[in-house]
Amino acid sequence: MAGIAILLDLYRKNPSFCSQESFHSSGFFSASAAAASAAATVVAGTPFASRFLFGNPKVSHCDAAAAFPEDYLSNVQRLSEDIVKNVKNLKNDALKYAVKEYKVELKPLYSAFELRPFAMTTLRSFLMFYLPLLEPATNVEEDDEDFLQDTPKEQHVDLVVPFKKSVKQIIRETTVVTTRRVLERLAVIYVSQRMAWKLLKDVPKSAVRKSQRGLPTTVYFFRVSRTTFRGHLLGVVAAALVQTGIEIYRCFCRKTNSEESDEVNLTEQTKLLGKKISDITIRCGASLVFASIGAGIGAVLFRPSVGQWIGCAAGDLAGPIIVSVCLEKAFHVNL
């Protein structure tokens, strides 16, 4: 349309150009008209606002289809598989480095009075004090000259005293277990959740889990001993507190009796109480240390759960005896 408008404008200005002869003889008209028509056609296809910024754009058309390489689909598939693998690895890393949850499981406060634990405590206490009565008496007097044996005298066996001692032992053990349950609840309240979980951990199960990790023997021994030390700590502290309370009660009882008879001095009673408490502390510390060492040795030599339990029990019994013998020989101190 712009080309036609230019031609009409030229016609109005120069009507002589309309003749056939002048039209054919004028090369200027044909060349300029063709150029103007072509330029007008191109310019008409471009918006007016964009001509100043982008000039006259050049447009080309191609009917050929796009060509893809032969391994294009295989590369896309391989790339998608790599993305899936990376996502799985990220999930595994997230699970691996996730924040560990410490689930603290508290046992009942009066678990010592349940049927099975109380029956085991009663049986152990009665066997402890009644089994020595079953040993035969071997009081035989020998004469150096005649080698004659006198007829042994029959001795009356008192069954009341062992019964009282057994009852006291039952009360002591149940008090120790109940005190430990109280200490466990205090640990959950006043220490961190991680530390409370370590103090309340099931040590035999922990030894089994550690044995499945393929650790070296020395590392496994050290970790089982450390875990046993933490798990056995509250029990030893509870036993020390109960024994200390018993000694304080006995001290006050002697003090009350001494006021009536005036035979025992208060200073001596205080010194005796301090010696008893120090002996209890040394014995309990030795029990804790040797129980931890014995648990590590038992877990290495035997099955992890059973060996840990046997080693802990053996070290708990042997520790105070070994320490008392060593102190007696080295410093002449009797525990």
Side-chain angles (χ1 to χ4, degrees), residues 81-243:
E81 291 177 356
D82 293 339
I83 292 173
V84 172
K85 289 181 181 179
N86 292 331
V87 170
K88 290 182 179 180
N89 293 331
L90 288 175
K91 289 182 179 179
N92 294 331
D93 292 340
L95 293 175
K96 182 178 180 181
Y97 296 103
V99 178
K100 188 175 182 180
E101 295 182 359
Y102 301 99
K103 296 181 180 179
V104 179
E105 297 180 358
L106 289 174
K107 295 182 179 179
L109 182 61
Y110 298 103
S111 61
F113 297 97
E114 294 179 357
L115 180 59
R116 183 177 178 182
F118 188 76
M120 293 296 295
T121 302
T122 304
L123 179 62
R124 183 171 58 250
S125 300
F126 277 103
L127 290 177
M128 184 185 301
F129 294 102
Y130 276 99
L131 281 179
L133 300 178
L134 300 178
E135 296 180 357
T138 57
N139 294 329
V140 180
E141 296 180 357
E142 295 181 359
D143 192 0
D144 294 337
E145 295 179 357
D146 301 329
F147 298 100
L148 298 177
Q149 295 181 353
D150 297 336
T151 57
K153 296 180 181 180
E154 296 183 356
Q155 295 181 355
H156 178 68
V157 178
D158 189 5
L159 299 178
V160 178
V161 175
F163 180 79
K164 291 181 178 180
K165 292 182 178 180
S166 300
V167 172
K168 291 180 181 179
Q169 182 66 22
I170 293 171
I171 296 173
R172 179 181 299 175
E173 292 191 11
T174 53
T175 306
V176 169
V177 176
T178 306
T179 305
R180 177 173 181 171
R181 300 291 174 257
V182 174
L183 292 176
E184 289 175 355
R185 281 155 175 80
L186 292 176
V188 171
I189 295 172
Y190 291 103
V191 302
S192 62
Q193 187 177 6
R194 181 172 177 268
M195 191 63 193
W197 176 73
K198 290 183 178 181
L199 292 175
L200 276 64
K201 186 186 293 186
D202 192 348
V203 182
K205 292 182 180 180
S206 177
V208 173
R209 290 193 298 267
K210 287 179 175 58
S211 65
Q212 297 174 353
R213 299 174 185 173
L215 300 173
T217 304
T218 54
V219 177
Y220 177 66
F221 166 79
F222 173 75
R223 292 190 177 181
V224 172
S225 300
R226 183 179 60 183
T227 304
T228 306
F229 184 89
R230 292 169 178 169
H232 199 54
L233 179 62
L234 293 180
V236 173
V237 173
L241 290 176
V242 171
Q243 189 63 32

Side-chain angles (χ1 to χ4, degrees), residues 49-79:
S50 62
R51 294 173 194 171
F52 176 73
L53 296 175
F54 303 103
N56 297 328
K58 297 180 180 179
V59 181
S60 62
H61 300 278
C62 182
D63 294 334
F68 295 100
E70 296 180 356
D71 57 347
Y72 177 76
L73 295 178
S74 61
N75 291 334
V76 172
Q77 186 177 3
R78 190 181 303 109
L79 181 61

